[in-house]
Every structure is written in C-alpha cells, then in structure tokens.
Amino acid sequence: MNKLIIKAYIFPLAFVLLFTLTGCAGGIPNDVHTPEDVANRTIGVLSGTPAVRLADDVGTAVSFDVPEAMLSALIAGHIDCIIMEGTTAEALIAGTSGARILQDPILEYELRIAVPRENTRLLDAINAALEELDNNGILRNLYNKYFARGRFEYEPPASAGTRPGNLVVALPPDSPPLSFMGDDGRFVGMDVEVAIAVADILGVSLGVLEHDAVDLISSILHGRADFAMGWPHGDAEDFVHTSEPYAIVRLVVIVRR
C-alpha cells in the first residue's frame, strides 16, 4: 500500500507564533522515545529532502514547505515526530521549550569516493582536493543545498580545465539527492557537484558514466570509470581504496518534550 504524503502549506502567522514562540504543547504526551519508536508514526519532513523517503518507508510522511510550520504541527500534536538533517534540526528548535532531539540519530553514514586499489596517486590527489573543498566551505554548502534545502551555487575556480587530462566518474541516475537526472536530461545532485568540484581543483575535465547503483564497483574494476561516488568505508576494500569522507549524513528525530 502506498503511503500518504500530505502537502502542508504555510500556517497562519498567529498559529506559528502561538506554538513556536511559547513552546506550549498543550499537555499532549510524547510517545516517541527512541528512533525505533518512529515506526508506523505520522512523521513530519521537509519536502524535497532525503527524510521524505526514509519517513515514507517507516511510517506516514507529512511533507512541509516551512520548517516552523512543521515544528508547530509537532507541538500541537498533529504529527508524532519530525525527521530532518541534524544541524538544521538544532537550529529549528533553538529557542523553543516544546521540542527536543533524540540523542541517537535515526540514520548516519559517511560518503566517500572509491578509486582502484592500485591507483594511490589518484587517491592522494582526490584527498587533497577534498581537503581544499572542505577548507573553503564548498563541501558544507553542497551538503546543505541537497540535505537541508540550502541555497548555494557552485562557482568553478580559475584553474578549472587548465590541465590536460580527463577523469570519468561512475554515477547512478536514480539516487536523489546524490545523483539523478534533471528535467533537462543531465545529471544533477550532491555527488555530481562534488565530483565536478574535485575535477576542477585537479584542473582536468570530467566525464560521467551512468551505472547501476548496486554495482558501481564493476565500473572501476573494468576500467570504465576512474572513480565512483558515495562509497561506504570498508566496503569492497580488497578491490578499491576510499577517500576521506566528503560528507557525513546525519538524520535525527525531533519529538515533543
């Protein structure tokens, strides 16, 4: 049976102020005390974020466009809990006494880049590029763009495309928000932009190989791609090396106090 995803619009200002500023839960009890308690609940999520899919898998997702309206719905008892990205969740509940974040995340994993085990030179170059992207804030901005609906437009550095050479990255076409096909038929997503940014720092051009997500490693082992995105640490370590993480995805649960 398909789960119901409800589109919630902006609540009246008085409603938002009543619950977000006062934090008054009206004595409505909280029945969600651990991430396991989320199962079969009505779960608030921000539309267009990965939390939608997770919430729909474990319960009934209620999609909101406005974070404050979602928090108000939680405190008022219209939804049982909220699933959202950790940093954004902390900012959302700051200043309210009506909600808290469960100590344990409901989902947490690292995103890394996989390269052939014998190509340590490429691994070192990718790690150096990721360090630069981390230091200048691009990795964080790209993460916020795709996991927390932030606003960011990547600007290539002057060194982009100034060196001879080409790298090919393997990407699946159906793994939003990491990599998927846009309306114009081109790859978009966080992994796509991180791969572009890495190639830009290395000064080379980038090609994309469309490949099934469950078998990305074969594209590397057979030499069709130079690297693959979104690889978990330690997976297939006999065949590939993985870079330093370029993102740590952490989804948390917000509940009423």
Side-chain angles (χ1 to χ4, degrees), residues 182-207:
D183 294 337
D184 59 358
R186 296 184 180 183
F187 270 93
V188 294
M190 179 181 172
D191 279 357
V192 180
E193 293 205 55
V194 170
I196 291 172
V198 167
D200 285 346
I201 288 180
L202 299 181
V204 299
S205 58
L206 182 71

Side-chain angles (χ1 to χ4, degrees), residues 62-93:
V62 182
S63 187
F64 290 80
D65 286 330
V66 181
E68 292 77 11
M70 180 170 62
L71 181 61
S72 297
L74 171 69
I75 296 174
H78 300 310
I79 56 178
D80 298 314
C81 60
I82 292 170
I83 295 178
M84 66 187 306
E85 191 276 327
T87 303
T88 312
E90 292 170 1
L92 177 62
I93 69 169

Side-chain angles (χ1 to χ4, degrees), residues 79 96 115 121 127 137 140 159 191 210 227 235:
I79 56 178
T96 179
V115 301
R121 183 178 179 182
N127 277 331
R140 168 51 58 180
S159 59
D191 279 357
E210 181 178 331
F227 63 100
D235 192 14

